[in-house]
């Protein structure tokens, strides 16, 4: 375990088993984080505009919270929330989104390529479906040399159209791998609503046809997601792979530049009513698990944490230019020859 | 009809619109080409004019999109398939290289695949390693595929229209950094005949050969060089495969110095291929080796400074050209 | 229509609607053809050893016979039978398999790349799954400018593991295209039996999950295949795409060099009992549709036809060397520059 | 241990066997690698020794096979994924180039992908356009991927074993026409250090640079040339990327004449890249341009005569080399 991961563990609340209130807190942290990512962009401090916010999809915490330390996962381009759910450090994430030296990937990856190997994150992916088969491989590792570890692929409804998903599902079922495929259905792939991309919109039926345990959970209800997740995680640990669809709604545009002209204001208003934070908050208050003050304290704490992450990212420095040649290959081997070196070799007067 | 001022983005859109008006068999298929109007806004408005059967929003299924375009081309339509980013080529090279490019040949001439694959590549938007590549070299290596890469507004229009007249598959790679570029479009006057490169600027001291967005950098470099008394040709390849190298040979045998510039990772790039060809053909006229300048051999980093630093700029092109001509090394080479 | 296609039409029996006896005859022709392909190989006259015989899969005629003129189709590497079922000329096929100038593809394609555009054959494919999406495109053509034409993709059980199949099925369902996906399940992909490649071996369930009409038919019974096919073809013509699994058995090895050590002699013997020719023959005799003599005459006629095809292929000449530069591009445009020309340009004394 | 006589096929198998014996994390995944023993018999017997969990027969799902290997490599195993034919690369380039090759970089050094992709390519079996290609150029153009192509029995063993010691992804492309080739294998003595080319024959008049099966053709050509009094170097590249060009530069600057030979379609080939590099570096020593000789720019035809005629042979290499050295054109060039 790296120093960072240890610090992380001390700083953050335990990842699981402390129930609905912890899950609410985690969801709030995710939302606050994403709001700050939006701010980073507006302040012109993000590396590029390919920023995909997971606001509306926070109930994914129901699954991340059912996973255990040592479990691995891959995410998609809209993966900030999943990663925070698994313990990601918001400050290093934000710095990466800003393309800074102190970011998770030293400013090489950005929003769509965040990872923290120490936390089991095998990488976010900007190729729709690209990270899905990697959990099959992690499942093989678990089967061949592991001990009870599962691996979870998180992806959007758009990836339901990618062939590699079905190839991966088939392998997981065939080899009985400890793997879960989690589709975060936010109803849209960019501007395309699921009923315009799927001939039959019953994703669980597809997974079942390939031999997986399949379930669909209400993405407005993190506890419903959690209950389903616990079942699927248990089955996966026993070598029975699963599929979970989290039925959610993408609150905002596809990326920061998109104002969603392809859908109506009414539809958006309806969709945003399916707010997992509002639902969880109301239930916690109703059931007396937390007072309004408790909840406010959580909200304020999350806001402060993410303000600090934002400030950290802005203050962090850009990576040194020469670092671009690092990490192409492992440092123990060789680095690519910079062009300047080749040109000097070719053009130096010493040539003749 | 007189020339109009417009953007590269709109020139592509006009080419699609005009082709679709002229030929009822032309249709578009790709992700977000309809309601969304294209990831870079290129196809905006076309679904309104031509309807959903001719502007087909496809599921995120790149291999099957290309495959469907192939089948449509085989049976009488003229598909324009859009691959949103050339970075996704790795999912479709089988359909492109093993199917589209080889069908006519494998089937002994019976089955042509008159389709166009439109895509875009390149850096400049901090889109990171999987959304910033220049992968034309993969297509360039495929017998049976034609490959064109427009650098100007006029070419953005004409190369696409010409591509849509070919009996065989053509890959058109646009550049994401050019969509907003402004320029003059004359729908009646292509920059050069289909298949031929274009001399964008002429000079005496060296010949800079490039394509796509690097043409702009090279032209700017030539300006800088002129201020220093170095006079450069700038050739825009336009059509990379098959390559008509007559103009290249003519100019390089005059100047005796050539530089091939690409935005792609240099190793295995189209620039290497052109340099190899040119030194074969022009050997006796060369004062210096044919020099290659390209992207560094690294994935594209997201940090804007690193991204910029990994790709040739006008300043770098000018520095290296000056070095090649005057033998004076730039400061950074010390 | 080409001259060849016209000749073809005169020479062959009408393709459909003349019932079980015609289907028997067609199946016999296929089997005789494949036997001659084996002979071609043994005589060292085939171009290479990548020869995949469709013996045991002749009931595919149940579907080819349900198709109509103008319908298009793509086949896989084991596609001789399908093509003969759609009217392919055995002599030109055999010549192509021998790599000869008079072959369907002028000796450029070979066994795995036979096509006859005039008969609706959009090409055989050596990429497992490679030809499947092409019928989606043909379906788009039919929808956009066609008149009732359907397109059928024929492929093996191995292609059930290819992602592009599911992408294609989804598109066909989404766009309601006149398309049929036909899986000829011969139980093996090379040496891998379906239960070692599929997590759940219920292919129709997969197709249904994607929104297709799906059916499975007994590949030992061409009439059962035909009955199912007529339903699916009718639905497809109405824009309701379908999936048909023909449940068969691969009688021999994967290709000509393969002796199938990965399966038992008992299994093979059992599998070969599921012989669509034997079943059809017995039924025709039983029901009195044809006498034993009638059937023998058919068998003998087929044998003679295929002997002639074999002789023709052997006698045909190799393609001229220069033809290798033809058909890369359409002849109206340009041909690739031969290396000899480039080298002469570079090395000729005139250079200096 | 003394050298043994064996085949290229068995050398690959022995490398896999020894690596699997030495390292419990090594496993194979691919189509027909288990019960069938590999399409070309390379993995015969391994499933018996190592079991189905380490010799995994995979469904026909090339993208997911490579993807699964990547995930396994990320989590502590050392996968050897087999792509049955390099011709199927077009289905897996996304996983290979966008995932395997870029993971370490995109994730700032955190996640290495120590996997090996084994595949085979080339002509010689009348396998037609989709089963006879030489597509190394696609991989060669990918930063972060290592690429090796063994020509000899000894290299078939050692390059694979060395590949399995790398912390990053390595593509090993074997040649279908070499599997039955016989030669000497010394498991303790590689032909050259990892990463370096090997001078297989030395001469004075020109340097022939090649790799994979063409090494054999070049050696045969060198024999023929010797009979005519032309003496040729033959360099076997072995490791194509990253390329250590020291030996190439040394030899070419001595002979002043170089020829780069490939079986791949010439345009956009690795031969072009090497020629471009060499003329840059050796320009002042070159008597003649660096000449390229490759496959014709066509899909591979099935007819044996056409197939053979489209690919360099020993006779062609000798003819062109003689032409380059003596300036006497061969009869066919008249
Ligand atoms: C292979 C591939 N195709 C297309 C894209 C472009 N793209 C980026 S996100 C996206 C939509 C994805 O939708 P979904 O999977 O539902 O994820 P969401 O954005 O809704 O979270 C598309 C088409 C891509 N990045 N990768
Ligand atoms: C994409 C691809 N992967 C692998 C192969 C090698 N291959 C050729 S045939 C075959 C088995 C195909 O099985 P199936 O689809 O059931 O067809 P069958 O041979 O049984 O008719 C394989 C793996 C190929 N040609 N294409
Ligand atoms: Mg979505
Ligand atoms: Mg089969």
């Amino acid at each position: 375990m790296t120093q960072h991961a240890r610090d992380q563990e001390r700083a953050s609340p335990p990842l699981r088993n402390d129930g609905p209130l912890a899950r609410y807190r985690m969801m709030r942290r995710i939302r606050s984080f994403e709001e700050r990512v939006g701010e980073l962009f507006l302040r012109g401090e993000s590396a590029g505009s390919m920023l995909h916010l997971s606001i509306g999809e926070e109930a994914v915490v129901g699954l991340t919270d059912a996973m255990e330390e040592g479990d691995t996962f891959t995410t998609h381009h809209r993966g900030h929330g999943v990663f925070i759910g698994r313990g990601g450090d918001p400050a290093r994430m934000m710095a990466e989104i800003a393309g800074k030296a102190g970011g998770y990937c030293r400013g090489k990856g950005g929003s769509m390529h965040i990872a923290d190997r120490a936390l089991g994150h095998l990488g976010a992916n900007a190729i729709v479906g690209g990270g899905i088969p990697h959990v099959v491989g992690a499942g093989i590792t678990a089967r061949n040399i592991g001990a009870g570890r599962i691996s979870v692929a998180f992806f959007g409804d758009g990836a339901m159209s990618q062939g590699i998903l079905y190839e991966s599902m088939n392998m997981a079922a065939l080899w009985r791998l400890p793997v879960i495929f989690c589709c975060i259905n936010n109803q849209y792939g960019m501007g395309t609503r699921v009923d315009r991309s799927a001939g039959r919109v019953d994703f669980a039926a597809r997974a079942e046809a390939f031999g997986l345990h399949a379930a669909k959970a209400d993405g407005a209800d993190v506890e419903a997601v959690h209950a389903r997740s616990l079942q699927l995680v248990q089955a996966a640990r026993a070598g029975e792979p699963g599929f979970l669809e989290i039925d959610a709604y993408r609150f905002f545009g596809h990326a920061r530049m998109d104002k969603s002209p392809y859908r109506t204001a009414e539809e958006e208003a309806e969709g945003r009513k399916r707010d997992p934070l509002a639902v969880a908050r109301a239930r916690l208050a109703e059931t007396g698990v937390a007072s309004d003050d408790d909840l406010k304290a959580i909200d304020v704490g999350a806001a402060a944490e993410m303000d600090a992450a934002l400030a950290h990212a802005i203050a962090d420095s850009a990576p040194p230019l020469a670092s671009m040649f690092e990490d192409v290959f492992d440092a123990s081997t060789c680095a690519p020859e910079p062009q300047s070196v080749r040109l000097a070799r070719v053009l130096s007067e010493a040539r003749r | 009809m007189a020339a109009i001022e417009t953007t590269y983005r709109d020139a592509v859109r006009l080419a699609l619109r005009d082709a679709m008006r002229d030929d009822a068999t032309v249709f578009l298929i790709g992700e977000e080409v309809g309601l969304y109007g294209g990831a870079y806004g290129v196809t905006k408005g076309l679904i309104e004019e031509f309807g959903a059967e001719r502007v087909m929003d496809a599921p995120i299924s790149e291999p099957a999109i290309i495959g469907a375009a192939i089948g449509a081309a085989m049976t009488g339509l003229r598909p324009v398939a859009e691959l949103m980013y050339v970075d996704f080529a790795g999912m479709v090279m089988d359909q492109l290289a093993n199917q589209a490019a080889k069908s006519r040949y494998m089937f002994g001439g019976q089955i042509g695949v008159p389709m166009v694959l439109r895509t875009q590549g390149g850096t400049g938007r901090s889109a990171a390693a999987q959304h910033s590549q220049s992968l034309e070299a993969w297509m360039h290596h495929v017998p049976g595929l034609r490959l064109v890469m427009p650098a100007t507004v006029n070419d953005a229009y004409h190369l696409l229209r010409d591509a849509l007249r070919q009996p065989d598959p053509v890959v058109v790679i646009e550049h994401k950094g050019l969509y907003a570029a402004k320029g003059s479009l004359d729908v009646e006057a292509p920059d050069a005949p289909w298949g031929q490169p274009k001399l964008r600027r002429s000079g005496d001291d060296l010949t800079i050969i490039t394509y796509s967005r690097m043409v702009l950098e090279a032209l700017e470099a030539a300006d800088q060089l002129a201020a220093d008394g170095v006079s450069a040709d700038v050739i825009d390849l336009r059509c990379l495969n098959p390559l008509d190298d007559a103009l290249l040979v003519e100019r390089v045998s005059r100047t005796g110095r050539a530089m091939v510039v690409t935005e792609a990772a240099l190793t295995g790039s189209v620039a290497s291929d052109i340099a190899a060809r040119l030194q074969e053909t022009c050997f006796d006229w060369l004062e210096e080796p044919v020099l290659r300048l390209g992207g560094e051999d690294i994935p594209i980093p997201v940090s804007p400074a690193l991204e910029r630093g990994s790709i040739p700029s006008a300043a770098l092109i000018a520095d290296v050209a000056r070095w090649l001509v005057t033998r004076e090394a730039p400061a950074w080479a010390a």
Side-chain angles (χ1 to χ4, degrees), chain A, chain B:
Chain A
M1 195 189 266
T2 63
Q3 182 58 39
H4 162 70
R6 268 191 300 274
D7 293 352
Q8 191 59 35
E9 213 168 47
R10 271 193 297 275
S12 305
L15 282 175
R16 59 186 306 271
N17 287 343
D18 46 355
L21 191 61
R23 282 188 281 279
Y24 173 76
R25 179 169 181 274
M26 189 62 92
M27 294 201 296
R28 175 57 67 194
R29 291 177 67 233
I30 293 172
R31 181 155 307 175
S32 294
F33 180 85
E34 297 290 43
E35 287 163 353
R36 298 311 175 289
V37 171
E39 202 178 321
L40 188 79
F41 170 73
L42 289 176
R43 290 168 68 167
E45 294 276 357
S46 66
S49 60
M50 291 191 128
L51 302 172
H52 309 91
L53 307 186
S54 61
I55 293 177
E57 305 172 14
E58 294 87 349
V60 73
V61 163
L63 174 49
T64 58
D65 208 31
M67 294 167 63
E68 292 191 1
E69 207 185 311
D71 291 343
T72 58
F73 61 104
T74 62
T75 63
H76 60 327
H77 56 282
R78 200 179 301 281
H80 303 160
V82 172
F83 184 30
I84 293 176
R86 289 304 302 151
D89 173 358
R92 290 178 70 196
M93 290 175 69
M94 195 70 82
E96 187 56 41
I97 294 168
K100 297 298 179 67
Y104 261 116
C105 312
R106 311 173 65 202
K108 282 177 175 145
S111 164
M112 298 194 292
H113 304 294
I114 291 180
D116 183 343
R117 185 62 191 86
L119 293 175
H121 195 346
L122 302 181
N125 221 299
I127 299 294
V128 169
I132 293 175
H134 304 170
V135 303
V136 172
I140 294 171
T141 302
R143 184 195 66 178
N144 282 17
I145 61 171
R149 293 290 145 249
I150 66 165
S151 192
V152 183
F154 293 89
F155 50 88
D157 47 286
M160 295 301 304
S161 299
Q162 286 284 21
I164 202 165
L165 170 63
Y166 302 98
E167 298 184 355
S168 300
M169 282 184 179
N170 182 46
M171 286 181 177
L174 177 66
W175 294 326
R176 300 179 50 83
L177 300 176
V179 161
I180 293 173
F181 300 92
C182 176
C183 173
I184 305 171
N185 181 353
N186 62 10
Q187 314 305 324
Y188 280 88
M190 293 188 68
T192 305
R193 207 168 54 200
V194 283
D195 57 356
R196 293 184 68 243
S197 70
R200 178 178 162 204
V201 190
D202 179 352
F203 296 150
R206 299 188 188 179
E208 251 162 32
F210 280 88
L212 302 184
H213 290 288
K216 178 173 176 170
D218 179 2
D221 181 353
V222 68
E223 296 309 320
V225 172
H226 190 59
R228 286 297 202 180
S229 297
L230 288 173
Q231 294 166 347
L232 290 170
V233 165
Q234 193 180 9
R237 284 200 205 286
E240 294 178 29
F243 171 86
L244 178 65
E245 174 184 351
I246 299 178
D247 185 35
Y249 191 78
R250 196 189 73 202
F251 278 26
F252 298 105
H254 167 66
R256 290 314 289 160
M257 309 297 286
D258 171 30
K259 302 283 168 275
S260 310
Y262 42 79
R263 63 188 192 186
T264 63
E266 294 73 47
E267 187 203 290
E268 277 193 358
E270 273 310 303
R272 288 185 191 156
K273 283 189 195 149
R274 305 193 50 233
D275 182 345
L277 274 97
V279 170
R281 209 174 202 289
R283 191 183 291 151
L284 288 166
E286 252 167 48
T287 54
V289 172
S291 69
D292 207 52
D293 281 352
D294 294 339
L295 293 165
K296 266 195 195 127
I298 287 177
D299 295 352
V300 168
E305 181 192 6
M306 301 310 163
D307 282 339
L310 177 64
H312 167 83
I314 293 175
D316 196 6
S317 53
L321 198 59
S323 73
M324 78 164 101
F325 297 104
E326 296 162 10
D327 303 325
V328 178
F329 298 111
D330 183 78
S332 71
T333 60
C334 67
E337 182 182 55
Q339 278 197 105
S340 55
V341 175
R342 179 181 54 88
L343 291 167
R345 215 156 27 93
V346 174
L347 290 172
S348 74
E349 283 302 328
R351 197 183 82 199
R352 282 162 208 268
Chain B
M1 213 174 90
I4 57 166
E5 288 300 300
T6 185
T7 60
Y8 185 95
R9 171 188 287 114
D10 284 341
V12 177
R13 190 173 49 71
L14 287 172
L16 292 172
R17 189 202 64 181
D18 290 355
M20 291 177 83
R21 286 183 183 171
D22 287 1
D23 180 351
T25 66
V26 175
F27 78 103
L28 315 187
I29 182 168
E31 294 157 18
E32 308 294 342
V33 296
L35 290 194
Y36 200 92
Y40 284 91
V42 168
T43 51
K44 206 153 264 172
L46 296 178
I47 194 170
E48 283 78 10
E49 178 169 353
F50 299 102
E53 296 207 342
R54 291 184 67 196
V55 183
M56 295 182 69
D57 274 325
I60 308 178
S61 304
E62 285 80 7
I65 289 171
I66 310 307
I70 291 168
M74 286 173 164
T75 49
L77 296 184
R78 270 208 173 267
V80 182
E82 179 176 315
L83 184 68
M84 196 185 284
Y85 284 77
V86 76
D87 305 74
F88 313 152
M91 323 183 92
V92 307
M93 286 308 291
D94 183 69
Q95 285 294 321
L96 201 56
N98 278 336
Q99 312 295 339
K102 294 186 176 51
S103 284
R104 183 183 294 285
Y105 196 83
M106 294 190 303
F107 305 134
Q110 292 182 76
I111 305 182
V113 182
M115 67 171 280
V116 167
L117 175 68
R118 266 191 62 236
T119 185
Q120 58 79 27
T123 58
R125 296 183 59 94
S126 289
Q130 294 175 339
H131 280 69
S132 307
Q133 294 169 88
S134 298
L135 294 176
E136 57 273 14
W138 289 356
M139 284 108 183
H140 188 241
H141 187 50
V142 178
L145 268 194
R146 290 173 196 275
L147 172 64
V148 304
M149 295 181 71
T152 67
V153 169
N154 210 42
D155 268 353
Y157 181 90
H158 286 284
L159 288 178
L160 182 51
R161 297 261 4 221
D162 284 347
L164 276 164
R165 292 180 192 110
Q166 294 299 311
D168 292 304
V170 183
V171 176
V172 182
I173 309 182
E174 299 155 12
H175 196 294
K176 61 172 74 60
L178 290 178
Y179 283 129
K182 295 203 171 107
S184 168
L185 165 63
D186 185 338
V187 300
E188 274 150 24
D191 283 356
W194 171 252
Q196 293 181 18
K198 167 83 180 168
L199 187 65
R200 297 265 175 219
R201 174 181 180 129
S202 73
D204 299 312
D205 298 324
L206 89 159
T207 303
I208 302 175
I209 296 157
T210 187
Y211 57 94
S212 190
R213 193 178 69 80
M214 283 295 132
V215 171
L216 275 61
E217 300 288 335
L219 287 169
E220 200 183 314
D223 282 344
Q224 296 175 17
L225 288 166
D228 299 342
V230 174
S231 119
D233 279 339
V234 176
I235 294 181
D236 176 359
L237 289 172
R238 305 174 71 244
C239 303
L240 281 73
N241 208 13
L243 180 78
D244 179 340
D245 65 0
L247 177 70
L248 280 61
V249 171
E250 178 201 320
R251 301 302 301 186
V252 172
S253 51
R254 258 183 82 259
T255 60
R257 287 183 175 80
M259 207 169 118
V260 192
V261 182
T262 180
E263 187 170 329
L266 189 69
T267 295
S269 65
V270 172
S272 290
D273 193 69
I274 309 255
R277 254 168 214 277
L278 273 179
Q279 60 88 32
E280 279 179 338
T281 318
C282 301
F283 188 75
D284 291 338
W285 293 274
L286 286 175
E287 306 287 338
E288 296 283 347
V290 178
L291 211 66
R292 298 168 305 150
L293 189 63
E296 300 287 355
D297 283 326
I298 63 174
I300 307 293
V302 81
S303 141
L306 263 49
E307 182 189 45
R308 264 195 312 276
S310 72
I311 300 294
S313 60
L316 181 69
I317 297 170
D319 277 354
V320 176
R322 213 180 286 109
W323 199 358
L324 185 67
V325 174
T326 67
R327 310 295 299 175
E328 272 166 50
W332 50 261

